[in-house]
Amino acid sequence: MLIGNLDHDTKVTIYVTDGIKAVQLTSQVLYLSKTDYLVCMEEAKNLDYQSFIGIKVIKAGERIVNFSSENITCTITALKNYKPYSWDNVKIVRLTLPEQGTIHMVLSNDDRKTFNRRNEYRLFLGEEGICRFGDSNAPKNVMIKDVSCSGVGIMINKSDDIEIKAGMKIEVEFSQTCKDGNRQTFMLTGKIVRYIAMNNNMEMIGCKLSGRNQELVKMIYEKQRQNMTTDYKLQVKKESTKSLVKGFEALYGQNPEEEP
């Protein structure tokens, strides 16, 4: 499914990372009149994208969140007919429309299939961790981008001078705050199945786990229940957007009064 097939009023979750920090934001798909749609379509054409949505502008206090930095990557997830979809590496720009006014426009060329909510649900973490690659016992600092019952996504700095290869063995270690408030450490093993060079001196690595870790499965299901309501609509995080973006300089945009 193309991102443009999402219905208006659909709630969306945006995961943003620069490979060091990460934040999760929420918004909602807007209805676009014919006039506004044509403006968006022209902008998408200029940026070489075939599909897009307009979402309610996201602010940090009075400042409009800035997604234009080349150092960040964005993933957006949403539900369509109670089925979850996810688009990686989307482009998000600010746009002023004749009728809706200022919005954020999300663009993607990916045609995505729904994923199995229980087996393939990816839990966004954005947490620091360590990883051992291949036969090396030397731990490398990484960011744990997301985990599922069968895989883990990590990000590393290219300057770490690691020769990444498909099929390479990995050992990943990270900790999470669980339902009882205590920190639990997870140690996972698997192999690299894909890796992508990003435009911010980072590499994003996808790994398949070698087995099913029951403690990991339990943690994912608990977090999943927290993130989704019983009627399958995405929950809005309790923290304010301003507190989430605080300290994430790349996202801290202009005050509306400062717009050119």
Side-chain angles (χ1 to χ4, degrees):
M1 184 178 80
L2 294 173
I3 198 168
N5 293 126
L6 289 176
D7 299 324
H8 65 85
D9 293 332
T10 298
K11 293 180 181 179
V12 297
T13 302
I14 304 167
Y15 307 101
V16 189
T17 180
D18 63 357
I20 301 173
K21 300 177 293 296
V23 66
Q24 175 178 323
L25 306 171
T26 58
S27 187
Q28 192 170 9
V29 180
L30 293 168
Y31 168 79
L32 298 177
S33 67
K34 182 177 180 180
T35 300
D36 285 348
Y37 184 85
L38 291 174
V39 174
C40 289
M41 189 166 62
E42 185 65 25
E43 181 72 8
K45 182 179 178 181
N46 291 338
L47 295 172
D48 200 25
Y49 283 88
Q50 62 174 317
S51 191
F52 61 86
I53 54 172
I55 61 174
K56 287 184 178 180
V57 67
I58 303 173
K59 293 184 178 182
E62 294 301 317
R63 291 179 176 269
I64 296 173
V65 174
N66 172 30
F67 294 96
S68 63
S69 172
E70 292 184 356
N71 294 326
I72 63 174
T73 58
C74 302
T75 297
I76 188 168
T77 62
L79 297 174
K80 171 81 172 182
N81 297 328
Y82 304 116
K83 296 179 181 179
Y85 292 84
S86 179
W87 292 266
D88 294 324
N89 298 320
V90 298
K91 186 175 183 66
I92 304 177
V93 299
R94 187 179 65 183
L95 194 62
T96 300
L97 301 178
E99 296 182 21
Q100 279 285 4
T102 301
I103 69 166
H104 276 120
M105 180 179 175
V106 183
L107 305 105
S108 174
N109 286 329
D110 291 342
D111 190 355
R112 304 307 298 264
K113 293 181 179 179
T114 187
F115 56 86
N116 183 288
R117 183 187 300 275
R118 181 163 292 271
N119 294 328
E120 299 176 47
Y121 176 80
R122 290 188 298 174
L123 175 67
F124 175 79
L125 292 182
E127 296 275 359
E128 294 180 355
I130 60 173
C131 183
R132 295 176 177 85
F133 294 87
D135 296 325
S136 173
N137 289 321
K140 297 289 185 179
N141 293 325
V142 299
M143 169 178 278
I144 312 299
K145 178 178 176 286
D146 53 48
V147 292
S148 71
C149 297
S150 59
V152 58
I154 63 177
M155 297 186 72
I156 65 167
N157 197 309
K158 292 178 185 176
S159 62
D160 283 344
D161 196 27
I162 302 170
E163 187 178 356
I164 302 300
K165 296 179 180 179
M168 178 182 282
K169 295 184 298 182
I170 56 105
E171 294 181 1
V172 179
E173 182 178 335
F174 66 94
S175 62
Q176 272 287 288
T177 302
C178 296
K179 190 176 181 180
D180 59 7
N182 295 320
R183 297 287 288 183
Q184 182 176 2
T185 299
F186 297 90
M187 300 186 68
L188 310 174
T189 60
K191 64 180 180 179
I192 295 173
V193 293
R194 61 184 177 277
Y195 52 95
I196 303 170
M198 311 304 290
N199 58 5
N200 56 354
N201 202 37
M202 302 293 294
E203 283 188 299
M204 185 163 60
I205 302 173
C207 309
K208 182 178 180 179
L209 299 182
S210 56
R212 198 172 179 88
N213 184 305
Q214 292 303 323
E215 290 301 314
L216 177 69
V217 172
K218 181 180 176 182
M219 184 271 287
I220 290 174
Y221 290 172
E222 287 178 351
K223 299 282 187 179
Q224 184 182 14
R225 283 193 292 269
Q226 293 172 15
N227 289 341
M228 299 215 178
T229 62
T230 54
D231 62 353
Y232 304 106
K233 291 186 178 179
L234 294 175
Q235 290 181 329
V236 178
K237 291 177 70 69
K238 293 181 180 179
E239 298 94 332
S240 69
T241 302
K242 186 174 182 179
S243 66
L244 288 168
V245 173
K246 186 178 181 181
F248 207 146
E249 186 175 351
L251 290 177
Y252 208 53
Q254 287 183 311
N255 191 303
E257 286 76 18
E258 299 171 357
E259 293 183 32

